[in-house]
Amino acid sequence: MRETSVIAATGLRRTYPAQPPVPVLHGVDLVVRRGERVAVLGGSGAGKSTLLNILGLLDPPDGGSYVLLETQVTTLNHRERDRLRATALGFVFQAHHVLGHRTASENVALKLATIAAPRRERADRIHAALAGVGLGHRAAALGRTLSGGEKQRLAIARAVVGNPAVLLADEPTGNLDDDNTANVLNLLAAQASAGVAVVVITHDRRVARWADTAYTLSDGALEVGAG
Amino acid sequence: MRWRHLRDEFADVFVEIGARRARAALLIIGVALSTGVLVASLTVSSIAARQIDANVAAAASRTFTVGLREGVGADAPPFPVDSDDRASRVPLVVAAGRRVDLAGSDVSVHRLRPGPGAGRTESSANVSAVTSGYLRAAGITIDAPVGFLLDSPRPYAVALLGAGAARELGVPDRGPYVGVRIWLNAQPYAVIGLLSDGQAVGLDDAVVVPHARADALAVVAPIDTILLVRTDIGAAAPVARVIRDAIRPEAPETLTVSSVDDFRELRTGVSDQLARLSAGVGALLLALAMLLIANAMVVAVVSRTGEIGLRRALGASRAAVARIFLIEGGLAGGLGGLAGAAVGVFAALAVAAVNGWGFSFPTLLVLAAPVLGTGVGVLASAYPAWRAAGIAPAEALRSD
């Protein structure tokens, strides 16, 4: 099962237009298999978030090949990329992006509405996702009333409720204390155990130790190891 | 699939409106006020026009005038001397009579006998020569039973004064007028009474003399004389069709009837102008409401940039993001239009009640208002929605 690659990127390049142009990625190769935990480390400005945006289909690469779930995404149009992102990917951000004026349930429901999940299934799936991150009892709480750790767990629930093949996390533990960091890593590990490929962008070396494979992004390319 | 998306998007917008009630309420109130004023002004203009229509119609349906046709009038004989009687014998005619206005340059009017020592006593009053039938047809009353003097074949040198002319000439507004005289072309005329209600036919500032006296005062062309006919209510049109034969059976084509059609044009014109004015004011207000919604939506797009990034990250397409704002604008506009219809109807009802006008429920406007509001909301949201759809998700996610 772990042999099936869900992400196969070769020679990814990205240069930001500026005077002079700013090359960020030049030749990133990355393979991620089902159920694999991958950590990508790197200093500030190394291009970690740029790589995550490309892997998450939020930003196109300037060159290279990116195959996600056996689909060459560099040739897809906007709609096809949106559809693939909706069905295949889940995101967890450092800033969690929990909508404060909506309840925990409504935050999770956003994802199900986006993928047009059958209505009769939604309540059960929301409940299961919230219970899975230990927020079953906070389903009716407004997002703004949750603590930082709860918000991050809610973000994980929202990311996994759509049953993605790949979970992309950008500094998911950046704002958390040790206990909450451990909680979040456990939840991500649980997803990996269920077959989800988990890619974490991080500064945190504890995450590198937690990962099956750690890479360091340096000079626009990935090197194996935590640097 | 698409229908399920749309249903989810509507549900999502309802959640958003519920969560940001104050903002939604302000939008709805803005649209409600503008559509309310539009509905109210169109309704009021409609009922006011109908009221004017009714008033004018009532007047127009009772009176009309007969004149000598232009072109043939100069050669044609004047109205027969018994025109009033001929016209009055037509069934449904209440009164009929002739009037001729004398040119101011032909007739001088003085309070005192003109001459040395009389001072500046010349008046600017107009002089009209009428039969008593004219005054009855015009609904003018005289404060003394002297009408017969106007109709006598003997042209008495008597005068009736409009209220304004009496004031100008210094004639008391109450009789008796024994011995009171004015001077027309330096000839004495005994004042025999005052006219009331002369404003409607322009006799308030006039000196009125017997019709038979016109030729003695000025050079009068036959075509200058008109004959006013008053009928029973609503009988003007049928009477107008036969009156020329009654007055001059041998040459009815030399007479012309002017009345009902002119009034109808006036009524249509008044109605159209009121409707245009109201629609213009309403359109201006709707444009303001559109700007209000557009402004609020642009602010919403900016403040929700992070959320837009999140939705895109979750898989929402550009079109789906745009639809959220279009639906929100459309809903706010539709609800505002609905509330505006209610506000407008109540306002129009109040105006009608205060003025004692009849009120008819503007069904079409009430049905159209929410549709119009929705259209305005969607149109106003088009630019913000387009902007939201164009936001790059990666940048949007960095905005928070």
Side-chain angles (χ1 to χ4, degrees), chain A residues 53 58-59 78 82 85-86 91 93 95 97 99 101-102 106 110-111 113-119 122 158, chain B residues 1 4-5 7-8 12 15-16 19-20 306-307 310-318 393-394 397-398 400:
Chain A
N53 288 338
L58 297 173
D59 219 4
H78 277 293
D82 291 338
R85 186 165 63 243
F91 288 89
F93 305 99
H97 289 289
L99 302 183
H101 59 282
R102 296 193 178 210
E106 287 167 349
L110 269 182
K111 177 68 183 183
T114 304
I115 60 174
R119 286 185 162 266
R122 291 189 189 180
R158 186 177 59 198
Chain B
M1 184 73 170
R4 195 184 292 167
H5 269 297
R7 203 167 65 161
D8 281 331
D12 190 60
V15 171
E16 193 62 34
R20 301 175 196 264
E307 180 190 331
L310 171 71
R311 287 175 183 273
R312 294 299 311 278
L314 293 177
S317 64
R318 289 177 179 181
L397 287 165
R398 277 199 293 272
D400 271 8

Side-chain angles (χ1 to χ4, degrees), chain A residues 24-44:
Chain A
V24 180
L25 304 178
H26 34 91
V28 169
D29 300 326
L30 177 66
V31 174
V32 183
R33 294 178 177 80
R34 279 176 55 88
E36 187 177 5
R37 296 182 285 186
V38 172
V40 177
L41 288 90
S44 293

Side-chain angles (χ1 to χ4, degrees), chain B residues 259-310:
Chain B
S259 62
V260 185
D261 287 348
D262 295 344
F263 278 115
R264 194 173 294 144
E265 282 169 18
L266 169 71
R267 286 151 54 190
T268 309
V270 169
S271 302
D272 287 352
Q273 282 169 17
L274 273 172
R276 271 200 297 274
L277 182 70
S278 305
V281 171
L284 189 69
L285 284 165
L286 275 181
L288 287 176
M290 201 180 282
L291 283 177
L292 173 82
I293 294 177
N295 184 50
M297 283 298 180
V298 167
V299 171
V301 168
V302 172
S303 66
R304 293 169 67 183
T305 300
E307 180 190 331
I308 291 167
L310 171 71

Side-chain angles (χ1 to χ4, degrees), chain A residues 34-150:
Chain A
R34 279 176 55 88
E36 187 177 5
R37 296 182 285 186
V38 172
V40 177
L41 288 90
S44 293
K48 301 189 299 295
S49 293
T50 300
L51 177 61
L52 186 93
N53 288 338
I54 290 173
L55 296 179
L57 309 181
L58 297 173
D59 219 4
D62 293 331
S65 162
Y66 176 23
V67 177
L68 173 64
L69 295 177
E70 300 178 345
T71 302
Q72 176 57 261
V73 299
T74 53
T75 60
L76 298 181
N77 62 30
H78 277 293
R79 283 186 183 178
E80 291 164 335
R81 289 160 67 90
D82 291 338
R83 208 169 297 136
L84 187 58
R85 186 165 63 243
T87 54
L89 302 176
F91 288 89
V92 180
F93 305 99
Q94 181 179 4
H96 51 70
H97 289 289
V98 165
L99 302 183
H101 59 282
R102 296 193 178 210
T103 65
S105 288
E106 287 167 349
N107 269 278
V108 176
L110 269 182
K111 177 68 183 183
L112 296 178
T114 304
I115 60 174
R119 286 185 162 266
R120 61 183 176 281
E121 295 177 6
R122 291 189 189 180
D124 289 343
R125 289 175 71 171
I126 290 168
H127 178 74
L130 287 173
V133 298
L135 288 178
H137 63 296
R138 301 285 274 154
L142 287 175
R144 61 171 168 264
T145 65
L146 301 178
S147 69
E150 286 175 325

Side-chain angles (χ1 to χ4, degrees), chain B residues 62-103:
Chain B
R62 295 206 66 180
T63 60
F64 63 89
T65 59
V66 182
L68 295 175
R69 191 177 292 281
E70 296 257 8
V72 301
D75 303 324
F79 276 102
V81 289
D82 60 345
S83 294
D84 294 14
D85 290 339
R86 292 184 185 199
S88 297
R89 280 198 294 271
V90 174
L92 303 177
V93 170
V94 173
R98 284 156 292 151
R99 166 179 172 174
V100 61
D101 294 330
L102 308 182

Side-chain angles (χ1 to χ4, degrees), chain B residues 116-133:
Chain B
R120 292 178 55 82
T121 58
E122 184 163 358
S123 161
S124 61
N126 303 313
V127 179
S128 297
V130 305
T131 59
S132 66

